[in-house]
Amino acid sequence: MKKTTAASIATLVAIASGAFLAPAAVADDTAKGDELHAMLSPVPTSKVTGSGTAMVHLKGHEVTVKIKTRGLLADAPHAQHFHIGAKGQCPPASAATRHNGQLSLNTTDGLPFYGKIGASLTTTGDTGADHSALAVDRFPMGASYTYERTFTVDDATAESLRAQNAVVVVHGIDFNGNGKYDNVLGASDLDPKLPSEATNPALCGPLKMAPAGAVAGGMGGAQANDTTTALSVAGGLLVAAGGAVYLRRRTNRQS
């Protein structure tokens, strides 16, 4: 193959790759920030069978939080928070203690593992740990819900998120299965005016950085598709260019 032909093929490949990869590169430049994901699983001894997912986009001190849950107590509010400053883990069953004679895991039992509240994931208004940790009228309600909100967090919470040391905890359990929060486990360790069931952790999941190339809805996404398309087009151009070279050589031989 002549040098000019090889150079032409290389140019075609570069053009094809650039044409399809340029949009992805532009997207990368504009989509600054960190993506964190968590799978929310039942806290041991909670008698919760639900599950959930959490996605957090962090840019500076601004977070966009998306949470989906199912299998929680219906017609009841569910406090939810970023917990920070400890091991960045969900508590094991061994952390449970006796409450009103029942072996269960309340919020305080889990603090050595997931840490203190860094932000309250309320639906409206304040998101601080001091004034909104138990703002039961501003948390999602129901057995299943979808939550989405954008707000700012303080330095400690932003640092904990970036260090992959933050945990999402959803509260509110039905320990005795009677369809409501009651005093079966005694008063809440966070507010004696509330039953423990209302504030005990139900679902928990450590927030970890999404793998490179992961996007909401699954791995790969638009960037991976663009790359695949570029490679396919480049391969097609190589085949076409190779065929052109073969025909040129054959014609030369016959003349």
Side-chain angles (χ1 to χ4, degrees), residues 4 42 58 67 69 117 157 172 174 192 229 233:
T4 54
L58 173 65
I67 295 176
T69 68
I117 295 174
T157 303
D174 183 13
T229 303
V233 172

Side-chain angles (χ1 to χ4, degrees), residues 193-219:
K193 297 178 182 178
L194 297 173
S196 186
E197 282 189 325
T199 61
N200 279 13
L203 300 176
C204 177
L207 282 163
K208 300 300 179 183
M209 291 292 181
V215 294
M219 296 292 293

Side-chain angles (χ1 to χ4, degrees), residues 33-38 53-59 61-67 81-82 121 147 149 151 153 157-158 161-162 166-168 205-210 216:
D34 297 308
E35 299 286 344
L36 298 101
H37 292 185
T53 58
M55 294 185 292
V56 178
H57 178 77
L58 173 65
K59 182 179 180 181
H61 285 69
E62 183 181 85
V63 294
T64 297
V65 186
K66 298 179 181 180
I67 295 176
H81 310 96
F82 290 150
L121 307 180
Y147 169 88
R149 190 177 181 192
F151 57 92
V153 295
T157 303
L161 287 165
R162 289 194 173 89
V167 180
V168 172
L207 282 163
K208 300 300 179 183
M209 291 292 181

Side-chain angles (χ1 to χ4, degrees), residues 44-45 92-110 175 185 189 196 200:
T45 75
S94 58
T97 56
R98 295 275 173 188
H99 302 285
N100 208 28
Q102 304 284 346
L103 188 64
S104 61
L105 203 155
N106 66 14
T107 301
T108 303
D109 292 330
F175 190 81
L185 299 175
D189 54 322
S196 186
N200 279 13

Side-chain angles (χ1 to χ4, degrees), residues 80-148:
Q80 50 182 17
H81 310 96
F82 290 150
H83 283 255
I84 62 171
K87 297 180 180 180
Q89 302 173 359
C90 296
S94 58
T97 56
R98 295 275 173 188
H99 302 285
N100 208 28
Q102 304 284 346
L103 188 64
S104 61
L105 203 155
N106 66 14
T107 301
T108 303
D109 292 330
L111 290 179
F113 300 91
Y114 47 60
K116 65 180 181 180
I117 295 174
S120 301
L121 307 180
T122 53
T123 54
T124 60
D126 177 69
T127 58
D130 295 333
H131 302 295
S132 297
L134 296 177
V136 292
D137 59 331
R138 292 189 290 113
F139 284 115
M141 289 190 63
S144 302
Y145 63 80
T146 298
Y147 169 88
E148 183 171 354

Side-chain angles (χ1 to χ4, degrees), residues 158-181:
E159 290 172 5
S160 187
L161 287 165
R162 289 194 173 89
Q164 302 183 81
N165 184 242
V167 180
V168 172
V169 180
V170 178
H171 301 260
I173 70 171
D174 183 13
F175 190 81
N176 56 355
N178 67 348
K180 61 182 180 180
Y181 295 147

